Amino acid sequence: MPNASPSPPQPPELAAGGSPEEMGHGLSCSRSVSELEFFMAVRAGDLAMVEDSLRMDPDILYQTTIYGRLSALHITAANGRLEVLSMILSRSIHPDLLNRKKQTPLMLAAMHGKIACVQKLLEAGANILMFDSLIGRTCLHYAAYYGHSDCLQAILSAAHYSSVADSWGFARFVNVRDGNGMTPLHLAARQGQPDCVHILLDNGALVNAQTGGYRWAGSTPLHLAASGGCLGCVRELLAWGADRLQKDSSGRIPYVIALKRKYVACAALLNPSSAEPLVWPKPLKFINELNPDTKVLLETALMEANLLREKKILKGTMFSLSSPLHSEGKLDNDADSEGSDNDLCSICFEQACTIEVQDCGHQMCAHCTLALCCHKKPGTSTLFSSAPVCPFCRSDIARLAVAKTRTPEEFDRDNSSKLRRPKRSRHFCEGSSSFKGLSPPVSSFGKLMGHKLAANSDSLDKH
Ligand SMILES: [Zn+2]
Ligand SMILES: [Zn+2]
């Protein structure tokens, strides 16, 4: 079925802390009743009963289930039993016990999305750079594959401070490969996890990395997103500069893969002849140093601009634009120029000024800021020779910040100060051609987008 979303991956039952069959095995294969009761209590998170068992036999903590060789720590991690997990860790049990597949408790917690247990294990010094014996995956692969973005983020944060940062380096860890040469980004793209794709890209995952191995050989994350039919992943990857023309080992570009699988919307965006999306200007120093609030404003503006572009592209396809909205909800939360106390942007005269250029203090809207920074796309041979400058005064941009809302008194004072923004800057007209690169024209943004975009936008695939 065209554009059907892949069903979300489900963690294997066994890992969830011993299936009933496994417990049954234990019972019928000479495992004692007390041990079975202990594992049942661990799985249920029954702290009192677990403590009772430990009083009778402290060594029971070192026992594992027969089938999967799961320790009590594995079982609590997979089932999110934080209390029992904390109690076990407090008894000096090593956090990196291995089960039969050489999976650590941290891997199982990441697989099942048990964020509190992930955090507790990380605090206890769990090693984030362990590889299982199945496909050689790390906890980061598990979190990405199963789409647990909170766990993914927690592991990445830990990677900044753990010994991994010293030995491997953070950038290398983000791009760690499993036995098939798949990075966490490959897995997230393949499994249709756009939130994880976003976090990984934001943390330095290589957008055009190619897989090794012989399954999906030479595939980039964009190839895998195309084969999974996840529009949200395709969108994220393109906005991060993924190359639509990169070929896999069979000589196919992502477009061909989406077409073959009848993911019409994905194929339309991947079509090399479709308009290029705006790409997040990550090489710019002041973009890498954005504070979180400013970053949200600019990321939202980028997404809005690209969604509008998408809409135009998709109109040309045979795909019906009637699907309900799924994931654009986060666009609702800002860029609301009406009712805002901020001044109108004097470049587009449509949106409110939400961004302030520092140190000069000139203000403009997020869309115009983005247009200023994004006019070079991947694949063009002319790269920045220098960073963009303030369109009003042409001074260097040291920082971008959220524009403060001004009181009427401040407004009057500013209007008479040297920071007064010109209604039409001559410098802007002469100095930058970048706004021409923004399609559709910036001036039509407000009318077209407004803050109604999210509500009216068409989400075509699952994300
Ligand atoms: Zn503007
Ligand atoms: Zn300025």
Side-chain angles (χ1 to χ4, degrees):
M1 174 184 156
N3 295 291
S5 20
S7 57
Q10 294 299 322
E13 259 314 300
L14 189 63
S19 61
E21 299 77 54
E22 170 153 29
M23 294 301 180
H25 269 294
L27 201 60
S28 61
C29 301
S30 81
R31 186 132 283 183
S32 72
V33 176
S34 60
E35 234 170 68
L36 178 66
E37 279 173 353
F38 170 68
F39 284 125
M40 295 291 234
V42 165
R43 187 168 63 165
D46 187 338
L47 187 64
M49 197 165 164
V50 171
E51 282 176 332
D52 272 354
S53 299
L54 286 175
R55 261 191 293 279
M56 283 189 285
D57 177 11
D59 287 342
I60 203 165
L61 268 189
Y62 299 94
Q63 296 299 329
T64 58
T65 62
I66 292 180
Y67 215 62
R69 298 253 170 91
L70 295 160
S71 68
L73 200 57
H74 284 98
I75 297 171
T76 56
N79 289 280
R81 305 302 183 195
L82 183 63
E83 260 191 324
V84 180
L85 179 112
S86 304
M87 186 270 286
I88 295 175
L89 286 172
S90 73
R91 295 186 171 227
S92 308
I93 291 287
H94 198 282
D96 296 326
L97 298 175
L98 300 179
N99 69 4
R100 190 181 290 278
K101 300 167 188 166
K102 295 205 168 167
Q103 292 163 318
T104 61
L106 179 58
M107 289 178 195
L108 298 194
M111 173 194 289
H112 291 273
K114 305 302 182 189
I115 179 63
C117 291
V118 165
Q119 279 162 340
K120 189 76 198 173
L121 286 161
L122 291 171
E123 279 166 30
N127 187 350
I128 56 176
L129 197 52
M130 303 280 281
F131 297 84
D132 71 24
S133 62
L134 288 167
I135 321 180
R137 286 182 179 163
T138 64
C139 55
L140 198 63
H141 287 103
Y142 279 108
Y145 185 97
Y146 289 102
H148 299 304
S149 51
D150 49 357
C151 299
L152 188 81
Q153 188 69 66
I155 296 165
L156 287 171
S157 303
H160 277 294
Y161 305 108
S162 72
S163 57
V164 170
D166 303 327
S167 59
W168 263 45
F170 182 78
R172 193 171 157 213
F173 175 68
V174 174
N175 291 292
V176 58
R177 289 174 184 269
D178 70 10
N180 292 331
M182 304 269 255
T183 63
L185 181 61
H186 284 120
L187 295 183
R190 174 71 183 87
Q191 297 304 127
Q193 314 286 9
D195 291 346
C196 289
V197 165
H198 182 86
I199 292 171
L200 287 163
L201 288 169
D202 201 24
N203 278 276
L206 298 170
V207 71
N208 290 316
Q210 290 184 283
T211 59
Y214 69 104
R215 201 176 169 203
W216 298 307
S219 293
T220 62
L222 198 57
H223 284 96
L224 298 176
S227 90
C230 176
L231 191 62
C233 294
V234 168
R235 186 182 286 151
E236 287 287 347
L237 290 163
L238 288 176
W240 218 270
D243 185 357
R244 293 188 294 197
L245 297 174
Q246 179 93 42
K247 292 176 180 165
D248 66 12
S249 300
S250 315
R252 295 173 304 182
I253 57 173
Y255 171 60
V256 172
I257 291 172
L259 264 192
K260 191 177 165 205
R261 295 184 176 239
K262 299 193 169 58
Y263 293 126
V264 182
C266 287
L269 297 190
L270 292 168
N271 187 337
S273 62
S274 293
E276 293 260 10
L278 282 187
V279 174
W280 184 249
K282 62 177 183 290
L284 296 174
K285 183 164 176 288
F286 59 80
I287 289 291
N288 282 312
E289 293 169 354
L290 290 174
N291 67 38
D293 291 346
T294 318
K295 194 169 176 189
V296 166
L297 280 178
L298 289 177
E299 281 185 345
T300 305
L302 182 85
M303 203 191 305
E304 286 178 351
N306 282 337
L307 280 176
L308 199 65
R309 197 170 297 226
E310 248 176 50
K311 214 169 164 177
K312 285 187 163 181
I313 294 171
L314 295 175
K315 241 178 214 164
T317 70
M318 52 193 279
F319 192 80
S320 146
L321 296 174
S322 60
S323 308
L325 182 76
H326 293 291
S327 65
E328 273 77 15
K330 63 178 170 176
L331 290 181
D332 276 331
N333 58 10
D334 74 303
D336 192 342
S337 53
E338 286 169 47
S340 163
D341 290 333
N342 291 48
D343 303 333
L344 204 58
C345 171
S346 55
I347 295 174
C348 62
F349 295 103
E350 294 285 349
Q351 305 268 316
C353 287
T354 50
I355 302 288
E356 178 174 309
V357 177
Q358 293 176 349
D359 299 314
C360 64
H362 286 122
Q363 296 188 351
M364 54 188 150
C365 73
H367 295 100
C368 290
T369 310
L370 208 62
L372 182 71
C373 302
C374 284
H375 66 295
K376 296 292 185 240
K377 299 182 189 69
T380 54
S381 51
T382 46
L383 289 169
F384 277 121
S385 51
S386 59
V389 294
C390 172
F392 300 110
C393 66
R394 314 208 66 184
S395 64
D396 288 342
I397 301 174
R399 270 173 311 280
L400 295 175
V402 177
K404 287 185 207 73
T405 308
R406 289 179 294 176
T407 62
E409 298 79 51
E410 284 172 328
F411 184 79
D412 289 343
R413 196 176 58 231
D414 281 4
N415 269 354
S416 55
S417 79
K418 66 180 168 61
L419 291 185
R420 189 164 63 95
R421 290 163 300 100
K423 277 298 171 201
R424 262 300 175 195
S425 166
R426 194 164 43 85
H427 291 309
F428 162 63
C429 299
E430 293 168 0
S432 171
S433 60
S434 59
F435 293 88
K436 292 177 198 152
L438 184 72
S439 171
V442 181
S443 59
S444 65
F445 253 167
K447 287 191 199 87
L448 286 169
M449 315 281 299
H451 50 282
K452 298 289 190 287
L453 176 102
N456 299 333
S457 166
D458 307 284
S459 174
L460 295 155
D461 288 349
K462 75 179 234 199
H463 296 292

